[in-house]
Amino acid sequence: MMKGKEPLFQTAKRESIEPWKAWMIRLIAVFLSLVVCSGIIIALTGLNPIEVYKGIIEGAVGTKRRVWMTIRDTLVLLCIAVGITPAFKMRFWNIGAEGQILIGGVTSAAMMIYFGNTLPPLILFPLMLLGSAIAAMIWACIPAFFKAYWDTNETLFTLMMNYVAMQVITFCIIFWENPKGSNSVGTINSATKGGWLPKLFGLEYGWNLVIVLGLTIAMYFYLKHSKQGYEISVVGESGNTARYAGINVKKVIMRTVALSGALCGIAGFIIVSGASHTISTSTAGGRGFTAIIVSWLSKFNTFAMILVSFFLVFMQKGAGQIASQFNLNENASDVITGIILFFILGCEFFIDYEVRFRGGKRSSAE
Amino acid sequence: MNENYAIELKNITKRFGKVTANDKVCLSVKRGEILSILGENGSGKTTLMNMISGIYYPDEGQIAVNGKEVSIRSPKDSFDLGIGMIHQHFKLVEVFTAAENIILGLPGQELLDRKAVTKKINSLTAKYGFDLDPDQKIYTMSVSQKQTVEIVKLLYRGVDLLILDEPTAVLTPQEADRLFAVLRNMRKAGHSIIIITHKLNEVLTLSDRVSVLRKGQYIGTIDTKEATEESLTEMMVGKKVSLNIERPDPVSPKKRLEVQGLTCISKEGVTALENASFVANSGEILGIAGVAGSGQRELLEAIAGLIPSARGSALYYPPEGGEKELTIMSAADIAKAGVRLSFVPEDRLGMGLVGTMDLTDNVMLRSYKKGRSFFADRRSPKALAEKLIHELGIATPGTSIPVRKLSGGNVQKVLVGREIASAPAVLLVAYPVRGLDIHSSHTIYNLLNKQKKNGTAVICVGEDLDVLMELCDSIIVMCGGTISGIVDGRTATKEEIGKLMMKTGGIQE
């Protein structure tokens, strides 16, 4: 056959691939993405890309304080990602994590304001955690109920619930305004630190660490090994199969979304009690959406989520640094994050498919 | 290259890694000819067709269209050469009309001249004898009508060579006959047609020549006139196989399931099943014949507790005594009540199994609730999966492969194997061999017979009357949602059953 007529390249689905090969491909992808980023940095800003990379690292983990800020924000993002995962695994497109976080957060804030200085910590913190979880759970159950019984579209429903939650927060801010006229709640109990999650093992964010990592591990086993986790997978794949298997689909939808909402509520509690010590409409700050990326990128593996959320927060923190250090727009880091993600996602194609170029030798190793 | 051939393939080879899917395959289709490609699952039929339609590119060999050597690099190339393929799964926009789907993606002016389009479609349908309303929306159509749209779509675009991948797998015998009539008209008009199938009777009635593939190897091409079912089977399987299905005599049949006046009304208010009554005995295979959509599905699903019934009863008589009413229970309740009822549904990957889950997880689908533990036990399902692989000869690299990656026959073995493993007293199976090759089909028949010998009451919905008449002890014939007759499987004739299938004048026609 005339070689010139062959297509330039052909793709074929791989039967399987050794793990080390897959990781090599991913590694090469990250490396290539950094090369491409360098080119773009030089082309757009004329800066030395190595310096910019250094700046990002500096901003994320340059000092002990920065390391802790990065860890703190990673934990929050991780907690939300772990929270939304059961719903997404069930193919329930819960894009209402923002609202659920806010509702959880405002519950915690309310308890801090009203009981923060009166109740003993041993009662106060479990109460805040549970209260936030239950409030957010109820919030999430509203769209779940409509989905289970009337098959309404959960995407729109959960999205709109976010705006309602936002209005609830706006109302509370005006209600609790401190000082008057500031249009914000300010730091709650800044003098007494009532309702602030205390240090654990001498670590400032020790409790955050324990709670979130605990949830991460528990969620892994829940999804992978529990009967309920199995039901979630079946319902997500096919409602018909679920009915055939004798699964009560309505019940599973309600239960799973309730769990999802509760965990997002706990994320709200951690943000308010363990990090910001205030409540505002930007308490969730878009992290309810970012968490969706984390969850999907990790293919619902909660341990992979630790890495992914760390990476995203790392880049975000680095962005702040290079913005001030090099007088760059904060979006510069977004560009870099985007390019790296593009390569990481794109390389999955080369893991699933093998590509042969025209005239290339067909090695027997393939 | 011969100019008389619409398409000619020479020594086509395609490898995937270590697997050779096609090894030096030669094939030719004349203009105005219907060629059947026959082969068991995994014999390389689909790979070969994918190379003609530009999805894969051959590693070696030549393709010539109308005597000219060509290289088909993409589906577009294939299309430009006048080659069109109809897949088993249709690619239609559900909310569009037939006409809109037919012209979709065609170049033209911004303003559509719908009248002209409709006129052209109508002239095509009249010419070849299609039954198609260009203004009907796709989602209101039956499978056969959707297939018609796909064919007309290709003809509208001036396709000369039509490839059909198992076109009758989803059709009733009547619909298949109508399709064949259309294909014959197209042949008369000079079109070339390749039809992929493993139904021997279709090959014999429809095609001019047959090419046979076996495990990627090209076995040969013969004129249909000279072929018989036996000779084709031998070419396909490589050795003589007996086409006879065993039918042992029932041993001491006892009543296991008694259905009385069962009636189902769908959500849309249509009576899908009306006043069905029959008895299923242990040690017998009870067949259900009928045109697809005559209420077979509703009958089985109502018994299995998947859809509610409006009236009537289905009483289960377990061997240990103590009858139970099934229609008032859901599938979950039936399992909880200890009713030994297994069900192999028609829709294997949409209901019986979860395609993305592995064998172990699928095997535990109906039993995962067992035990009080919060966590699911995967050890015994894994052992069962391994046992099934071994006993039923399921071709799979292991238990941790998603079932959708298995071939149709192996998927069915997993499903049937799981349902049988729970030692049912009543076994419901719907279209157990649909889409399966001869080997796999016989494995399934043997499994059903084994259950019968073990004293299970087997109820089997089938579409192939010849098979039902060889396999079943008695046959229920359904028509338009009612049971139009119950005949003895040993004495009934095909004509008798055929008449019963059409008894009430037919809702279908």
Side-chain angles (χ1 to χ4, degrees), chain A residues 1 5-7 10 221-222 224-227 230-231 233-234 237-238 240-241 243-247 356, chain B residues 57 59 61 73 306 332 343 350-351 354 356-357 361 365-366 368-371 373-374 376 378 418-419:
Chain A
M1 183 173 295
K5 278 184 170 180
E6 251 186 78
Q10 306 174 38
F221 285 100
Y222 177 77
K224 208 140 190 182
H225 295 290
S226 79
K227 288 175 183 172
Y230 181 75
E231 286 174 344
S233 314
V234 176
E237 287 300 330
S238 154
N240 257 340
T241 310
R243 276 192 312 124
Y244 167 78
I247 293 171
R356 270 196 321 236
Chain B
Y57 190 81
D59 294 338
R73 280 175 283 187
L306 293 174
F343 178 29
M351 181 181 261
V354 183
T356 52
M357 285 186 172
D361 277 14
L365 186 65
R366 299 258 267 173
Y368 75 96
K369 278 187 190 151
K370 254 186 223 149
S373 165
F374 179 76
R378 276 187 171 75
R418 180 190 72 206
E419 291 304 299

Side-chain angles (χ1 to χ4, degrees), chain B residues 249-266:
Chain B
D249 285 325
V251 182
S252 61
K254 283 187 192 67
K255 190 156 70 176
R256 282 283 169 271
L257 184 72
E258 183 171 19
V259 174
Q260 281 246 314
L262 195 59
T263 302
C264 290
I265 295 168
S266 73

Side-chain angles (χ1 to χ4, degrees), chain B residues 119-404:
Chain B
K119 213 174 139 195
K120 191 173 167 194
I121 293 172
N122 283 336
S123 75
L124 275 174
T125 51
K127 184 176 171 193
Y128 297 110
F130 290 105
D131 180 17
L132 179 72
D133 171 10
D135 295 323
Q136 194 181 352
K137 302 253 197 230
I138 300 296
Y139 64 85
T140 64
M141 289 185 173
S142 70
V143 179
S144 134
Q145 286 172 307
K146 287 180 190 172
Q147 191 181 48
T148 306
V149 177
E150 287 280 16
I151 298 175
V152 174
K153 187 161 100 185
L154 293 182
L155 292 174
Y156 189 93
R157 288 152 198 243
V159 160
D160 289 323
L161 173 68
L162 207 65
I163 306 169
L164 296 114
D165 188 3
E166 298 197 20
T168 58
V170 287
L171 302 183
T172 65
Q174 285 72 13
E175 289 170 336
D177 285 343
R178 236 178 301 147
L179 173 68
F180 290 168
V182 168
L183 293 180
R184 288 195 188 100
N185 287 339
M186 286 166 59
R187 169 171 64 186
K188 220 179 284 164
H191 290 285
S192 310
I193 295 164
I194 299 179
I195 161 167
I196 303 176
T197 182
H198 45 236
K199 289 186 185 164
L200 295 172
N201 57 342
E202 287 175 2
V203 172
L204 292 171
T205 54
L206 183 67
S207 59
D208 301 301
R209 290 188 302 143
V210 197
S211 292
V212 183
L213 298 181
R214 187 201 310 152
K215 289 182 181 156
Q217 305 279 334
Y218 172 65
I219 303 301
T221 303
I222 54 173
D223 284 336
T224 313
K225 286 195 292 282
E226 294 154 17
T228 60
E229 291 212 3
E230 285 72 28
S231 68
L232 288 177
T233 313
E234 209 180 319
M235 284 176 83
M236 199 161 111
V237 186
K239 56 178 184 252
K240 276 201 192 299
V241 282
S242 140
L243 290 175
N244 294 325
I245 303 168
E246 189 196 4
R247 176 162 49 192
D249 285 325
V251 182
S252 61
K254 283 187 192 67
K255 190 156 70 176
R256 282 283 169 271
L257 184 72
E258 183 171 19
V259 174
Q260 281 246 314
L262 195 59
T263 302
C264 290
I265 295 168
S266 73
K267 269 185 196 152
E268 291 78 31
V270 180
T271 306
L273 180 70
E274 200 174 357
N275 208 13
S277 305
F278 65 90
V279 172
N281 293 321
S282 68
E284 281 186 2
I285 298 183
L286 177 62
I288 299 181
V291 177
S294 302
Q296 301 98 317
R297 185 196 195 120
E298 287 76 11
L299 178 60
L300 295 197
E301 291 192 357
I303 295 172
L306 293 174
I307 57 170
S309 55
R311 279 187 301 279
S313 71
L315 276 175
Y316 163 73
Y317 295 89
E320 59 275 5
E323 67 242 42
K324 288 195 177 77
E325 171 59 52
L326 298 183
T327 51
I328 51 168
M329 292 194 271
S330 70
D333 296 334
I334 288 176
K336 226 183 273 167
V339 173
R340 279 157 54 207
L341 174 82
S342 286
F343 178 29
V344 177
E346 178 182 345
D347 189 357
R348 288 165 207 163
L349 289 178
M351 181 181 261
L353 300 166
V354 183
T356 52
M357 285 186 172
D358 65 14
L359 266 69
T360 307
D361 277 14
N362 269 296
V363 161
M364 64 193 256
L365 186 65
R366 299 258 267 173
S367 57
Y368 75 96
K369 278 187 190 151
K370 254 186 223 149
R372 284 159 175 256
S373 165
F374 179 76
F375 291 101
D377 165 35
R378 276 187 171 75
R379 230 169 293 153
S380 40
K382 188 169 193 292
L384 177 59
E386 276 161 1
K387 194 175 139 211
L388 292 179
I389 291 172
H390 180 72
E391 282 179 4
L392 307 184
I394 298 169
T396 166
T399 54
S400 48
I401 291 286
V403 287
R404 79 186 146 83

Side-chain angles (χ1 to χ4, degrees), chain A residues 167-237:
Chain A
Q167 295 308 313
V168 172
I169 306 300
T170 312
F171 169 80
C172 289
I173 289 171
I174 295 175
F175 193 68
W176 292 327
E177 212 173 29
N178 180 28
K180 284 270 173 240
S182 66
N183 203 20
S184 82
V185 179
T187 306
I188 302 168
N189 301 342
S190 54
T192 59
K193 298 201 173 179
W196 292 27
L197 268 180
K199 286 186 177 186
L200 183 71
F201 317 129
L203 300 175
E204 192 174 351
Y205 300 114
W207 275 109
N208 301 18
L209 199 69
V210 168
I211 295 172
V212 176
L213 288 186
L215 289 175
T216 305
I217 295 166
M219 182 54 74
Y220 178 83
F221 285 100
Y222 177 77
L223 289 177
K224 208 140 190 182
H225 295 290
S226 79
K227 288 175 183 172
Q228 297 190 357
Y230 181 75
E231 286 174 344
I232 289 173
S233 314
V234 176
V235 171
E237 287 300 330

